[in-house]
Amino acid sequence: MTSKKRIVSGMRPTGALHLGNFHGALKNWINMQDIYDCFFFIADWHALTSDYEDPSHIKEYSRKMMIDWLGAGLSPENGTLFIQSHVPDHAELFLLLSMITPVPWLERNPTYKEQIAELRNKDLSTFGFLGYPILQAADIIIYKAEGVPVGVDQAPHIEITREIARRFNFFYGNVFPEPETILTESAKILGTDRRKMSKSYGNAIFLSDPPETIRKKVATMITDPQRKKRTDPGDPDICNVYSFHQMYSGPDMTAEINQDCRNAAIGCVECKQKMAESLIEALAPIRETTLYYEQHPKIVDDIIARGNKKAAAEASQTLDEVRAALKI
Ligand code: TRP
Ligand code: SF4
């Protein structure tokens, strides 16, 4: 037994991870591995709640995501890495929790209302989509998590999780701790077009992009929009390329760029080239490790199988307690 606090978090399988995902969640997870007893999983059932019409990529994307996790430095020795649908006990707990969850809790969930309004091209009037937070609650409390590292957009879901856990405990006795939200700072990183970085916007730089692709993408990045001519001074504070320098180029080069930009001593083309090289260098170890796992599918299979098994053992113990509490 470990005395570390247990945390649980999941990601929907969107395929290759981009820098936004990395700075938004994964980097924090990697840092947490030494401090917490971590259960990190790929939420492939959650992907189905909105993409049920064409699930043909989910399996491939789940695997790709696991490989990117490993490449970026999540360690199967340090935590438990698994795939949600491989631990079917989540579904049994989801069913039982759905019995006690009032529908208005789900209907008033801000994330639900937002998504219904935003994703107009999908028919989200399904029971599964409404019940998304119940499944998420099951994911979390099945491991008796004490904390859940998530971005602020997920905070309402963790609040519902706490409410569901409390209601269960009230009806059937104390089985579940109420997990805390551990807010991860949201990424300052924008896409090449200065919108939020997102795979679906086509503005993302992926962790696994080869150097040539990174150079091309960086060359298209929008800089300080006020800086029209090479002789105009720029303002690094509003430039996305500069934000990347701050993250990847080290303090000396970053200070120099700052000055040279303000004095029009450097042009954006050159500035981007420098940034691209810093980024390529920073991503090199990730890319190398990712390639290793891509070339060793057996090792990946093995890691997933071990993670699934560890998670299933924990989940099954909790479900024994749950059935006993319900007397069924
Ligand atoms: N809803 C989360 C997201 O879209 C993914 C998720 C599913 C999750 N189950 C979870 C996150 C449990 C934390 C804990 O990002
Ligand atoms: Fe941005 Fe660099 Fe151009 Fe300045 S010189 S506006 S920091 S890309």
Side-chain angles (χ1 to χ4, degrees), residues 64 67-68 208 287 289-297 300:
K64 178 80 193 103
I67 289 176
D68 275 355
S208 49
R287 198 174 127 70
T289 316
T290 305
L291 276 174
Y292 169 82
Y293 284 109
E294 267 165 7
Q295 287 158 0
H296 295 83
V300 177

Side-chain angles (χ1 to χ4, degrees), residues 8-12 29 41 43 46 84 115 132 135-137 139-140 148-150 153-154 157-158:
V8 171
S9 199
M11 257 185 226
R12 275 174 299 174
W29 289 11
F41 69 96
H46 275 97
Q84 182 185 35
Q115 297 252 41
Y132 187 113
L135 181 56
Q136 185 158 347
D139 297 337
I140 295 166
V148 189
V150 285
D153 63 305
Q154 291 293 312
H157 288 157
I158 313 309

Side-chain angles (χ1 to χ4, degrees), residues 256-325:
E256 196 182 306
I257 298 271
N258 191 315
Q259 248 202 343
D260 289 353
C261 172
R262 288 179 201 282
N263 301 329
I266 186 170
C268 293
V269 173
E270 188 191 340
C271 182
K272 286 183 198 177
Q273 281 164 354
K274 286 192 168 171
M275 189 276 271
E277 295 315 311
S278 305
L279 180 55
I280 289 165
E281 197 184 314
L283 292 182
I286 296 183
R287 198 174 127 70
E288 201 175 303
T289 316
T290 305
L291 276 174
Y292 169 82
Y293 284 109
E294 267 165 7
Q295 287 158 0
H296 295 83
K298 271 263 168 31
I299 295 182
V300 177
D301 290 343
D302 204 55
I303 288 171
I304 296 175
R306 266 192 294 146
N308 291 341
K309 204 169 148 197
K310 258 165 81 186
E314 290 287 321
S316 136
Q317 244 182 39
T318 305
L319 270 177
D320 285 344
E321 283 177 56
V322 166
R323 292 188 206 103

